[in-house]
Amino acid sequence: MATVHIESKKEDIAKVVLMPGDPKRSEYIAKNFLKDYKLVNNVRGMTAYTGYYKDRLVTIFPSGMGCPSMGIYSYELFKDYDVDVIIRIGSCGAYDKKLALNDVILVKGSYSESDYANELDGIKDKLVFSDGSLNNIIESTAKNNNIKIVKGNIYCADAFYEKEYDYNVRCKEKEVLGIEMETFALFNNAWKFKKKATALLTVSDLFFSDEKLSSLEREKKLNDMITLALESSLKL
């Protein structure tokens, strides 16, 4: 079982997949959190690993950046590899001034001006939701592990370097906490295949100040989010 983007055998991909954007973060998670892990994909440098977190077999599979890349990998994982659950573990920029660097957001809904849903299935809706039952498990796990989370919507952009925008408009009118680039495609693919998906996002940039995490911190310093996703996987 292989696609043009994934070389893995079907049995090499777990039913629960954690999806960072960065392939280097995928490697970091495998080496620091998993046991008996093995490399299961390296097509286009998208290094994916499958191994055990405690007694739970999980796959860490990078999505790359943006809806098109996330759209391809999550689509094939759901459809061709029979994955049941995907939890995106990524970073985001914060609009809401109540947020600080390293805060962890549990995403309820993804709002986007992207045409991804329309091209995928002719869906015109611009707001798509994560799986509520999956979010309940993550919220409960966060409480049990004393990990603070903030719940809310996120804006999913197609352009990283977008035109000047009044971020307060999105924050107030669309009720979003911040911005990233992958959730809209992931949630739409999960809806299409009747699977479960959500996202945990660590705040890496503040749009109301110049504060931001370094590229190295984004790769290796997001342990609260990673631990929360892995601990939640034990209940799936």
Side-chain angles (χ1 to χ4, degrees):
M1 165 61 67
T3 70
V4 295
H5 306 104
I6 303 174
E7 63 187 350
S8 312
K9 297 176 182 178
K10 194 168 185 177
E11 60 267 26
D12 285 339
I13 302 294
K15 294 297 183 182
V16 175
V17 172
L18 273 55
M19 292 197 85
D22 185 355
K24 288 187 176 181
R25 194 183 307 147
S26 180
E27 180 181 9
Y28 169 79
I29 295 169
K31 290 182 176 180
N32 290 276
F33 290 88
L34 302 186
K35 60 184 180 182
D36 300 328
Y37 65 87
K38 63 179 180 179
L39 180 70
V40 295
N41 185 72
N42 197 25
V43 175
R44 297 174 181 248
M46 300 298 276
T47 48
Y49 299 85
T50 294
Y52 284 92
Y53 178 72
K54 298 182 179 179
D55 61 349
R56 180 56 157 168
L57 187 69
V58 295
T59 294
I60 316 297
F61 204 115
S63 68
M65 292 184 286
C67 279
S69 187
M70 168 61 87
I72 289 171
Y73 289 109
S74 60
Y75 187 104
E76 293 179 1
L77 288 169
F78 283 140
K79 179 180 182 291
D80 299 308
Y81 286 88
D82 293 335
V83 168
D84 292 328
V85 176
I86 294 179
I87 302 173
R88 164 161 156 68
I89 45 174
S91 59
C92 70
Y95 290 159
D96 194 317
K97 292 184 179 180
K98 296 177 183 177
L99 294 171
L101 291 182
N102 292 307
D103 280 352
V104 178
I105 297 172
L106 174 60
V107 178
K108 296 193 298 182
S110 177
Y111 174 82
S112 184
E113 297 296 334
S114 170
D115 205 41
Y116 182 86
N118 184 35
E119 292 191 26
L120 178 73
D121 262 335
I123 297 171
K124 304 294 185 180
D125 293 344
K126 296 299 183 182
L127 178 63
V128 62
F129 294 99
S130 56
D131 184 85
S133 63
L134 182 54
N135 284 354
N136 288 341
I137 289 172
I138 293 174
E139 189 175 0
S140 173
T141 304
K143 289 179 181 178
N144 292 338
N145 288 273
N146 295 314
I147 297 174
K148 179 185 174 183
I149 59 172
V150 180
K151 297 180 292 180
N153 295 341
I154 203 77
Y155 179 75
C156 185
D158 273 346
F160 185 85
Y161 298 105
E162 61 178 354
K163 64 184 179 182
E164 247 184 78
Y165 196 87
D166 182 356
Y167 302 116
N168 287 324
V169 172
R170 286 181 184 154
C171 192
K172 293 176 182 178
E173 292 185 4
K174 308 303 181 185
E175 300 181 339
V176 301
L177 299 174
I179 182 172
E180 53 84 69
M181 301 185 72
E182 289 80 34
T183 51
F184 192 68
L186 172 60
F187 295 175
N188 272 287
N189 284 346
W191 177 87
K192 178 180 179 66
F193 292 110
K194 296 179 174 57
K195 301 299 182 74
K196 294 183 178 183
T198 193
L200 287 165
L201 304 174
T202 297
V203 175
S204 59
D205 303 82
L206 303 178
F207 277 76
F208 44 86
S209 80
D210 293 328
E211 293 182 81
K212 61 181 64 180
L213 300 182
S214 69
S215 57
L216 185 62
E217 287 174 320
R218 295 169 200 238
E219 178 188 333
K220 297 184 176 181
K221 299 296 183 180
L222 308 183
N223 288 350
D224 276 356
M225 175 181 67
I226 295 166
T227 299
L228 177 54
L230 287 168
E231 283 292 319
S232 298
S233 75
L234 299 176
K235 302 176 182 179
L236 300 174

